[in-house]
Structures are given as structure tokens and as C-alpha cells.
Amino acid sequence: MLHSEAPKSHSQKPSTPPAALSVAPHSIVPKLSIKPRVSVRPSMVPPRQRTTLRRKFILTMLVVSSLIGVTTLTIVLFLSARASERRLREIERDIEQSIASKGKILTENHALALRGMVLDNAFLDMQSLITRAVNDDSDLVYGLFTHADGETLAFRVHAAEEAAGATLAKDAWKTLGFKQEELSVPAEKLQRAERLGQEVVEVSVPLFGEEHEQLGTLRYGLSTRRMRQAIAAATADSKAQKIRSIELIGLSVTLATLMGILLSRMQAVRITRPVQDLTRAASDLADGDRSVRVKIESGDELEMLGFSFNRMVWELTSSYAKLEDMNHTLEQRVHERTLALAGRNEDMRAVLDNVDQGLITLTPNGIMATERSAVVDQWFGKPAGAQTLWRYLSASSPSFAQNFEMGWGQLVDDILPLELSIDQLPKRLSGEHATYDFRYLPLLRDERLHSVLVVVADVTSRLLHEREEAESAELMQAFRRMMKDRAGFTAFQRDASALLKTISAPDCQPSALKSALHTLKGNAALMGLTAVAKLCHQLEDEIASEESMSPTTLAELQERWTKLCEHVAELSPSDTGLVEVPESEHAALIQLLQRAGQSEAVDRVLGWKLEPATRALGRLAEQAQALAARLGKGELEVVVQPSSARLDPAYFGAVFSDLVHVMRNAVDHGIESPEEREAAGKPVRGRVTFRATQQKDSVSLEIADDGRGIDWDLIKKKAESLGLSARNHADLVAALCHQGFSTRAEVTETSGRGVGLSAVKQRVETLKGRLDVQSTLGKGATWTFVIPLPAATPALRRTAT
């Protein structure tokens, strides 16, 4: 006879509790021996109820609302303080820049005026100029003009700041606290200084004579009083805003808390009533009443819980009726389940043989289980019997095996928390040809470590893909930096190469090595070169842990830097010898030369804004090499002859765009294959020459090749067949450039349509130029294009040689 009442305590275990008899369809049920229960049901005293769910719900809502309010207030105060501090810095910076800009303009203008006065020995005019400037501007604290030998030529202190001894004397500069060696400056200088008992922004400008000898130094000191006043006002305003924010947030949090308590109380009633019904029903079921049911219509999880409770009671009742039948057929079911389990083991073996991840189970002593993924043996070889994982992996990576053995010892000792011990196990094994990631999943039994599942993944392809993406992003960042600040990036590139040379030196001292690594990492990170910075950081970690750098990591850093420099060199040619000049300085130089009547120098400076013709021809040369390689013409030799010609890209851009057709004809029609050239006794490498020559009123562009040359007899026959004139050389050149004229029998991707040379001829005629071609069969051809200079560039006409 079955006992019909469920036990109320988990601490006391009856021989066959009814709850254990609710069997899932696919579970394995042990053989039961059903006997009448003779044990007496223990008396159960229900625990005393000390509180209610409703009260806990309300208290939780109150605590959460308070935490949210305090957190919100803290965040707002923090953000407000940050914003206030940032605003004060911006105000200070803006005012300081305004003061500095004003001082620079005043100093530079007066420096020009004083230069003439010094040359004319107009000492009274000097003093008058500085006195008037200081008296008329309240921001000027003082003005000082000293001779190159240290003698004061003009000196004035503002009336509000005038101090004792502030009079014009040879050493009046001592009143401001200068030293003799500080009087002369080689270039314009901007600094903060303490003068006459207050902080000033001091602007110093040297004056040079006609032979660039230094005549003296002009200084103006501007007061920072306005900056301090603005900062004080901004500070007071920020403090008032903080107080208002605190008051508003406090009021909002209080109202929200009160509203939350009211709503939580209403919701608590709706939630706790069904829970109370379930509690009473569960108590009745524990007392043996299996007819108990609950009715909950809340439309949420509680209603689903009530439904599940009713179904559980029904299933529990049904299980008692089926229990005896199940006992009679249990042995047969166990046999069936054993066969099913064997089938599942076979399925699991098939999974392990085909999964692309390595699955290894380790016992607490580190021994590998016999069942593991087949891919593990493919990656690391077949183990020789039962052995530990670190011994198995020692052949692939001794350092990984050593670190794993140490980490496993800490895990087994159970001194540190399990999660921390698992986290300290090595997670990546870098082999000679592949890289693997390791993940560890602890399997517990009775809250103690029973085994560990090791999941191994081959991440070689993913890391390679990530590296390629990082290198592409890094190259793009380097190019952006170079375009934004070419001089700065060039300096960084030079310094970084020197640092890498220091790092790679075998006799580098540890202190110098660490300093060079840290400097290169920081500079690379500032430039956005994250891959280089990460490699430096990895080397720093290796030095810190192993006191030496990994040769593999160092080689990777060297290779990455070399590739980066090569790509940068390809994207932008070296600019050694170039000087970057802002457009404003360029315009100022032109005005200065115009006032000096230096027309030839003005023309030369105006030409700086034009593009060198060799640069445009260089682009054609690169395209020619690429086309020759694509057409199987071998490695083409291209020559761009040096030229001082500079052209307006807006005017000549279309010309060079059309000259692509001439270049393509030279490579496709003219240059022979390496086998043909060798048979003809020519150098194996074909040669294409680009030349630009500038005359007084025009520029001549030439493209010459040493290929097959032009078969003028074939051109004449083709022209006559098309009804074109072919009486002389000019007619043949015109026919060669006629729309639709081509000697090719078939159309290819590069030629054969007869439109390229026609477009070139039309462009030259539109610009009122002329073209010609000279060619000898078997020797090559030379195309010449003479383009008149535009009327808008008279400077080029005058300076052309």
C-alpha cells in the first residue's frame, strides 16, 4: 500500500516519496519494491510568519527608489562638476587666446613701424608710439623696446600699474625684472610672466635690419585681469546651477518615491493574494488532500503557476494509479533504456568525431578522459595512454603546459575561489602554424569539483582576418594623419623607426628597452596605430612576466612597422626637402615682394601654387607599368624626365586625363612582349619616356616608347580605304586621330574602337594647341603635344625658360 501524503521537509527522506514517482517519459526508473509504509508520519509544526510578501515588496520598492535617487543625484553632481570644470577651462583658454592674438597683432604692427624709426634714429617717435599704445589700451600693462645691446629705447607702464622707478632709462627693463640675457629673442615669443606684481601675457618680437641683423626687441605685456574676472563669474554661476539642480532632483526623487510606494502597495495586493491562495492549497496538498485546486485569473505568471499547480496535483494523483503497472514492466523498460543509451553514446561519438571544436574532459588530477573530439588528435597528436593535459600539450607549447600545470595546482588546492582559479588558467596556445583558444567549464557534483570540460577552438583564421582588418584600419588612420599633418607624421615615423631599432638591438639595456617600448606604444596610440601599440603592450607584458621578449612578437612588430612604412611610402611620395607654407603666409610674401618691386620673385612665388608637371606624368607612368603587367608585357621601364614646369591642374587636368589614351596605345600597340623584343635584339624590358618642357607661351608634353613604331604604309592604306586624305605626313597623323580609325581587327579592353586618339586631338584643338607624332618602324614612336599657356597665368609666361 502506498503512502498518500507527501513529506513536508527536505531534511527527512522517506523511503519512497510520492514526488519521486512522477516519471518523465524518457527517464530511467529504478526497480521499486512496493511495501506498506509502517513509519509514523513525523509531526510538523509550521514556522511562525514574521512578515508578509506585501511588506517586503513595499520595502524593496522604497529601497530601490532611494538608491535610484541617490545615484541620480550623484551622477548629476559629478557631470555638473565635470561640465563646470570644462567650461572654466574653455573660458580661460578662449580669453587667453584672445589676449595673445591681440598682443601678437599689436606687436607685429608696431615692430614694422619701429624698424623704420630705428633706421631713422627717431627716438622720440619710438617713445611716443609705445606711450600712446599703453595709455589708449587698458589691457596693456607695459610696453618695452630695447636695443640689441640692451639699451632701453622706449618704455611705458600703464598709469594704473605705474610703479616706482618706471621711467625711461637705459636699464628701465630692470623695473620689469628682466635679466640682461633675456632681452634679445631670436623669434616671436609668447609666454606668461609675473611683471609689476601681476600675471601678464607677454608678447616679444625681434626687429631685424636689411642685412638681417637684429636691431632690438619689442615687448608688450597684456593684463590677464579680464580672464580672472570671467572665471570668477563663471564659477559663481556654476555653483548656483548646482544648488538649483540638487533642489530640483531632491524634490523629484521625493515625489517619485511617494508615487512608487503608492503604486507598489496597490500592486502588492494583486500579487500577494494569489500567492496566499497557492500557499493554502500547497498546505492542504501536504496534508493529503489531493482534490485541492486553485483558481487564479491574473493573466500573468501567477495564473500560469496556478495552472501548473493544478496539473501537478492531477499528475501526482495519476502516478499512484500507474505505479504498480510500472513496477511489473520495469526490467523490460530498463533493458530498452540501456539500448537507447547505447544508441545515444554512438550518436555522441559521431558528434565528437565531426565537431570542429576540441572537447576534453579532465579529472581533478588533470588526467584526460578517453572520450574526446577527434579533432584534438588531429591538432596535437594522439596521446600515449592516460596522461595529464599539460604533459600532452608540452610538445606543442612547453610554456603553455607549464603555466597550465601551475594553474591546475591552484585549482585543485581549492584555496582560491573556483571562478578565480579557472580564470587564471592559460587561455591561448600559439603553436608554430596555428593558434588555439582554450575555455574551461567546471562540472560540479555535491558542490565540489568533479571534472572540467576543456573547449578548444582553432582561431588561426579568425586572428588572421582580425589582423588584416586591423592593419587596413591602421593604414587608413596613418594616411589620414599624414594628410592632416605631414610634417608631424614624418617626424613620428622617423622617431618610431629609431625606437624600433633600439628595441631590436640585442645589447639594449633593460631600462632603455622598457623606455623605448613605452614611448613607442604611447606615440603609436596617439597616432591611432592600435596594432603597433598592442604589439608593444604585449612585449611589455612578456618582459614583466618572463623578463624577456618573445622573438615571435618582436618579429611581428618589426614586420608590421615595415609594411606600414612601405604602404605609406606607396600612398604618398617622400616629401624630403619640402616646406609647408600656410596660404596666408604665401599671400603675405607675394604682397611684400610686390611692394618691393620684385616682379620676377612674385612670378616665381605665384608658381608655387601650381602642380609640378612631373607629378602628373608620374601618375601616367604608374598606370603604364600596371597596364604592361596586366597585358603580359613584362616589367616596363618608365622614365619621367626632370622638369621645372608647373601647370594649373584646373586647366591641364583634362589634358592629362586624355593623355591616358596615348599611354595605353604606347603600351598596348607599341611595346612588344619580352619574347618579341628578345628576338628583335632589343632589351627585354620595354621603355616609355615622359617629358614636359615649358616655353615662354606654351608647354610641350611628350610620350615616347621604344616599341614597334607606326607602320605608316598600313596607316595610308587604311586611310584611303576610309576615304581619308593620305598625301603627306600631316594627313596621316590626322587620319590616325580620326574618329573610328583603328588598325586593330578586334576590339579589346584597352584599344580597338578608334576613339582614344580622336578624343586627344579634339582636346588639343579646343585649347588651340597642336600635336605631332614621329615614328620609325621597329624603333618606337614619340607623341608631342604643344599646349598654349592660359591667359590667366602671365607669371608662367614671364618666368618660362
Side-chain angles (χ1 to χ4, degrees), residues 528-549:
L529 308 183
T530 55
V532 175
K534 286 182 179 179
L535 288 173
C536 293
H537 185 74
Q538 184 175 344
L539 288 173
E540 286 183 327
D541 289 344
E542 292 173 357
I543 293 175
S545 60
E546 304 177 8
E547 298 184 355
S548 63
M549 295 187 298

PDB file of all heavy atoms in Angstrom, residues 528-549:
ATOM      1  N   GLY A 528      46.847  56.720 -33.553  1.00  0.00           N
ATOM      2  CA  GLY A 528      45.772  55.830 -33.964  1.00  0.00           C
ATOM      3  C   GLY A 528      46.264  54.492 -34.511  1.00  0.00           C
ATOM      4  O   GLY A 528      45.477  53.735 -35.072  1.00  0.00           O
ATOM      5  N   LEU A 529      47.545  54.158 -34.327  1.00  0.00           N
ATOM      6  CA  LEU A 529      48.098  52.893 -34.824  1.00  0.00           C
ATOM      7  C   LEU A 529      47.934  51.841 -33.730  1.00  0.00           C
ATOM      8  O   LEU A 529      48.868  51.477 -33.010  1.00  0.00           O
ATOM      9  CB  LEU A 529      49.572  53.065 -35.213  1.00  0.00           C
ATOM     10  CG  LEU A 529      49.873  54.227 -36.176  1.00  0.00           C
ATOM     11  CD1 LEU A 529      51.350  54.253 -36.534  1.00  0.00           C
ATOM     12  CD2 LEU A 529      49.017  54.111 -37.432  1.00  0.00           C
ATOM     13  N   THR A 530      46.716  51.327 -33.598  1.00  0.00           N
ATOM     14  CA  THR A 530      46.387  50.446 -32.483  1.00  0.00           C
ATOM     15  C   THR A 530      47.123  49.114 -32.561  1.00  0.00           C
ATOM     16  O   THR A 530      47.484  48.545 -31.529  1.00  0.00           O
ATOM     17  CB  THR A 530      44.867  50.197 -32.451  1.00  0.00           C
ATOM     18  OG1 THR A 530      44.449  49.697 -33.743  1.00  0.00           O
ATOM     19  CG2 THR A 530      44.132  51.492 -32.182  1.00  0.00           C
ATOM     20  N   ALA A 531      47.327  48.572 -33.761  1.00  0.00           N
ATOM     21  CA  ALA A 531      48.006  47.282 -33.879  1.00  0.00           C
ATOM     22  C   ALA A 531      49.442  47.370 -33.373  1.00  0.00           C
ATOM     23  O   ALA A 531      49.912  46.502 -32.642  1.00  0.00           O
ATOM     24  CB  ALA A 531      47.976  46.801 -35.331  1.00  0.00           C
ATOM     25  N   VAL A 532      50.151  48.439 -33.734  1.00  0.00           N
ATOM     26  CA  VAL A 532      51.521  48.636 -33.255  1.00  0.00           C
ATOM     27  C   VAL A 532      51.529  48.822 -31.748  1.00  0.00           C
ATOM     28  O   VAL A 532      52.361  48.256 -31.026  1.00  0.00           O
ATOM     29  CB  VAL A 532      52.158  49.851 -33.965  1.00  0.00           C
ATOM     30  CG1 VAL A 532      53.535  50.153 -33.384  1.00  0.00           C
ATOM     31  CG2 VAL A 532      52.277  49.589 -35.455  1.00  0.00           C
ATOM     32  N   ALA A 533      50.573  49.620 -31.246  1.00  0.00           N
ATOM     33  CA  ALA A 533      50.504  49.858 -29.801  1.00  0.00           C
ATOM     34  C   ALA A 533      50.229  48.555 -29.045  1.00  0.00           C
ATOM     35  O   ALA A 533      50.818  48.302 -27.987  1.00  0.00           O
ATOM     36  CB  ALA A 533      49.429  50.900 -29.493  1.00  0.00           C
ATOM     37  N   LYS A 534      49.335  47.699 -29.569  1.00  0.00           N
ATOM     38  CA  LYS A 534      49.028  46.434 -28.891  1.00  0.00           C
ATOM     39  C   LYS A 534      50.244  45.505 -28.875  1.00  0.00           C
ATOM     40  O   LYS A 534      50.492  44.814 -27.887  1.00  0.00           O
ATOM     41  CB  LYS A 534      47.854  45.752 -29.589  1.00  0.00           C
ATOM     42  CG  LYS A 534      46.516  46.421 -29.311  1.00  0.00           C
ATOM     43  CD  LYS A 534      45.383  45.671 -30.001  1.00  0.00           C
ATOM     44  CE  LYS A 534      44.036  46.334 -29.694  1.00  0.00           C
ATOM     45  NZ  LYS A 534      42.915  45.631 -30.385  1.00  0.00           N
ATOM     46  N   LEU A 535      50.997  45.466 -29.978  1.00  0.00           N
ATOM     47  CA  LEU A 535      52.192  44.630 -30.003  1.00  0.00           C
ATOM     48  C   LEU A 535      53.228  45.116 -28.993  1.00  0.00           C
ATOM     49  O   LEU A 535      53.877  44.313 -28.321  1.00  0.00           O
ATOM     50  CB  LEU A 535      52.788  44.615 -31.417  1.00  0.00           C
ATOM     51  CG  LEU A 535      51.996  43.823 -32.465  1.00  0.00           C
ATOM     52  CD1 LEU A 535      52.585  44.037 -33.847  1.00  0.00           C
ATOM     53  CD2 LEU A 535      51.982  42.340 -32.121  1.00  0.00           C
ATOM     54  N   CYS A 536      53.371  46.440 -28.863  1.00  0.00           N
ATOM     55  CA  CYS A 536      54.285  46.989 -27.844  1.00  0.00           C
ATOM     56  C   CYS A 536      53.814  46.607 -26.445  1.00  0.00           C
ATOM     57  O   CYS A 536      54.614  46.245 -25.579  1.00  0.00           O
ATOM     58  CB  CYS A 536      54.377  48.507 -27.990  1.00  0.00           C
ATOM     59  SG  CYS A 536      55.184  49.066 -29.506  1.00  0.00           S
ATOM     60  N   HIS A 537      52.502  46.700 -26.227  1.00  0.00           N
ATOM     61  CA  HIS A 537      51.963  46.338 -24.912  1.00  0.00           C
ATOM     62  C   HIS A 537      52.186  44.849 -24.629  1.00  0.00           C
ATOM     63  O   HIS A 537      52.503  44.462 -23.493  1.00  0.00           O
ATOM     64  CB  HIS A 537      50.471  46.666 -24.863  1.00  0.00           C
ATOM     65  CG  HIS A 537      49.850  46.437 -23.522  1.00  0.00           C
ATOM     66  ND1 HIS A 537      50.073  47.273 -22.451  1.00  0.00           N
ATOM     67  CD2 HIS A 537      49.037  45.439 -23.068  1.00  0.00           C
ATOM     68  CE1 HIS A 537      49.417  46.805 -21.392  1.00  0.00           C
ATOM     69  NE2 HIS A 537      48.783  45.706 -21.748  1.00  0.00           N
ATOM     70  N   GLN A 538      52.047  44.015 -25.639  1.00  0.00           N
ATOM     71  CA  GLN A 538      52.284  42.575 -25.469  1.00  0.00           C
ATOM     72  C   GLN A 538      53.742  42.308 -25.111  1.00  0.00           C
ATOM     73  O   GLN A 538      54.035  41.475 -24.243  1.00  0.00           O
ATOM     74  CB  GLN A 538      51.902  41.840 -26.751  1.00  0.00           C
ATOM     75  CG  GLN A 538      52.023  40.328 -26.662  1.00  0.00           C
ATOM     76  CD  GLN A 538      51.519  39.638 -27.923  1.00  0.00           C
ATOM     77  OE1 GLN A 538      50.817  40.236 -28.735  1.00  0.00           O
ATOM     78  NE2 GLN A 538      51.894  38.384 -28.100  1.00  0.00           N
ATOM     79  N   LEU A 539      54.670  43.018 -25.742  1.00  0.00           N
ATOM     80  CA  LEU A 539      56.084  42.871 -25.411  1.00  0.00           C
ATOM     81  C   LEU A 539      56.362  43.327 -23.984  1.00  0.00           C
ATOM     82  O   LEU A 539      57.170  42.710 -23.263  1.00  0.00           O
ATOM     83  CB  LEU A 539      56.937  43.655 -26.403  1.00  0.00           C
ATOM     84  CG  LEU A 539      57.036  43.073 -27.821  1.00  0.00           C
ATOM     85  CD1 LEU A 539      57.768  44.038 -28.745  1.00  0.00           C
ATOM     86  CD2 LEU A 539      57.747  41.729 -27.804  1.00  0.00           C
ATOM     87  N   GLU A 540      55.699  44.418 -23.543  1.00  0.00           N
ATOM     88  CA  GLU A 540      55.863  44.870 -22.163  1.00  0.00           C
ATOM     89  C   GLU A 540      55.385  43.793 -21.181  1.00  0.00           C
ATOM     90  O   GLU A 540      56.032  43.545 -20.155  1.00  0.00           O
ATOM     91  CB  GLU A 540      55.080  46.160 -21.941  1.00  0.00           C
ATOM     92  CG  GLU A 540      55.726  47.390 -22.568  1.00  0.00           C
ATOM     93  CD  GLU A 540      54.968  48.666 -22.281  1.00  0.00           C
ATOM     94  OE1 GLU A 540      53.728  48.603 -22.182  1.00  0.00           O
ATOM     95  OE2 GLU A 540      55.611  49.715 -22.148  1.00  0.00           O
ATOM     96  N   ASP A 541      54.245  43.153 -21.487  1.00  0.00           N
ATOM     97  CA  ASP A 541      53.740  42.083 -20.615  1.00  0.00           C
ATOM     98  C   ASP A 541      54.720  40.915 -20.577  1.00  0.00           C
ATOM     99  O   ASP A 541      54.944  40.304 -19.514  1.00  0.00           O
ATOM    100  CB  ASP A 541      52.376  41.610 -21.113  1.00  0.00           C
ATOM    101  CG  ASP A 541      51.290  42.647 -20.869  1.00  0.00           C
ATOM    102  OD1 ASP A 541      51.524  43.563 -20.062  1.00  0.00           O
ATOM    103  OD2 ASP A 541      50.219  42.541 -21.509  1.00  0.00           O
ATOM    104  N   GLU A 542      55.303  40.576 -21.727  1.00  0.00           N
ATOM    105  CA  GLU A 542      56.254  39.466 -21.763  1.00  0.00           C
ATOM    106  C   GLU A 542      57.498  39.783 -20.938  1.00  0.00           C
ATOM    107  O   GLU A 542      58.020  38.916 -20.227  1.00  0.00           O
ATOM    108  CB  GLU A 542      56.634  39.158 -23.208  1.00  0.00           C
ATOM    109  CG  GLU A 542      55.481  38.586 -24.034  1.00  0.00           C
ATOM    110  CD  GLU A 542      55.834  38.457 -25.504  1.00  0.00           C
ATOM    111  OE1 GLU A 542      56.953  38.869 -25.883  1.00  0.00           O
ATOM    112  OE2 GLU A 542      54.997  37.957 -26.282  1.00  0.00           O
ATOM    113  N   ILE A 543      57.960  41.030 -20.999  1.00  0.00           N
ATOM    114  CA  ILE A 543      59.130  41.419 -20.211  1.00  0.00           C
ATOM    115  C   ILE A 543      58.798  41.363 -18.720  1.00  0.00           C
ATOM    116  O   ILE A 543      59.603  40.924 -17.890  1.00  0.00           O
ATOM    117  CB  ILE A 543      59.602  42.829 -20.612  1.00  0.00           C
ATOM    118  CG1 ILE A 543      60.150  42.803 -22.054  1.00  0.00           C
ATOM    119  CG2 ILE A 543      60.657  43.347 -19.668  1.00  0.00           C
ATOM    120  CD1 ILE A 543      60.523  44.163 -22.583  1.00  0.00           C
ATOM    121  N   ALA A 544      57.579  41.816 -18.375  1.00  0.00           N
ATOM    122  CA  ALA A 544      57.184  41.834 -16.966  1.00  0.00           C
ATOM    123  C   ALA A 544      57.022  40.429 -16.402  1.00  0.00           C
ATOM    124  O   ALA A 544      57.341  40.172 -15.233  1.00  0.00           O
ATOM    125  CB  ALA A 544      55.874  42.616 -16.802  1.00  0.00           C
ATOM    126  N   SER A 545      56.524  39.468 -17.225  1.00  0.00           N
ATOM    127  CA  SER A 545      56.252  38.119 -16.722  1.00  0.00           C
ATOM    128  C   SER A 545      57.437  37.176 -16.908  1.00  0.00           C
ATOM    129  O   SER A 545      57.704  36.336 -16.055  1.00  0.00           O
ATOM    130  CB  SER A 545      55.017  37.537 -17.412  1.00  0.00           C
ATOM    131  OG  SER A 545      55.226  37.468 -18.819  1.00  0.00           O
ATOM    132  N   GLU A 546      58.150  37.307 -18.016  1.00  0.00           N
ATOM    133  CA  GLU A 546      59.217  36.364 -18.325  1.00  0.00           C
ATOM    134  C   GLU A 546      60.592  37.018 -18.383  1.00  0.00           C
ATOM    135  O   GLU A 546      61.592  36.347 -18.652  1.00  0.00           O
ATOM    136  CB  GLU A 546      58.933  35.675 -19.662  1.00  0.00           C
ATOM    137  CG  GLU A 546      57.585  34.971 -19.716  1.00  0.00           C
ATOM    138  CD  GLU A 546      57.308  34.359 -21.079  1.00  0.00           C
ATOM    139  OE1 GLU A 546      58.237  34.375 -21.907  1.00  0.00           O
ATOM    140  OE2 GLU A 546      56.176  33.881 -21.300  1.00  0.00           O
ATOM    141  N   GLU A 547      60.661  38.342 -18.184  1.00  0.00           N
ATOM    142  CA  GLU A 547      61.908  39.107 -18.200  1.00  0.00           C
ATOM    143  C   GLU A 547      62.625  39.029 -19.541  1.00  0.00           C
ATOM    144  O   GLU A 547      63.831  39.214 -19.628  1.00  0.00           O
ATOM    145  CB  GLU A 547      62.838  38.635 -17.080  1.00  0.00           C
ATOM    146  CG  GLU A 547      62.268  38.834 -15.679  1.00  0.00           C
ATOM    147  CD  GLU A 547      63.254  38.434 -14.597  1.00  0.00           C
ATOM    148  OE1 GLU A 547      64.331  37.909 -14.958  1.00  0.00           O
ATOM    149  OE2 GLU A 547      62.944  38.662 -13.413  1.00  0.00           O
ATOM    150  N   SER A 548      61.896  38.727 -20.599  1.00  0.00           N
ATOM    151  CA  SER A 548      62.475  38.717 -21.942  1.00  0.00           C
ATOM    152  C   SER A 548      61.346  38.828 -22.953  1.00  0.00           C
ATOM    153  O   SER A 548      60.194  38.523 -22.647  1.00  0.00           O
ATOM    154  CB  SER A 548      63.289  37.441 -22.195  1.00  0.00           C
ATOM    155  OG  SER A 548      62.436  36.310 -22.134  1.00  0.00           O
ATOM    156  N   MET A 549      61.695  39.284 -24.149  1.00  0.00           N
ATOM    157  CA  MET A 549      60.698  39.442 -25.213  1.00  0.00           C
ATOM    158  C   MET A 549      60.645  38.171 -26.045  1.00  0.00           C
ATOM    159  O   MET A 549      61.656  37.513 -26.282  1.00  0.00           O
ATOM    160  CB  MET A 549      61.060  40.626 -26.112  1.00  0.00           C
ATOM    161  CG  MET A 549      61.015  41.982 -25.439  1.00  0.00           C
ATOM    162  SD  MET A 549      61.255  43.331 -26.626  1.00  0.00           S
ATOM    163  CE  MET A 549      62.907  42.954 -27.230  1.00  0.00           C
TER     164      MET A 549
END
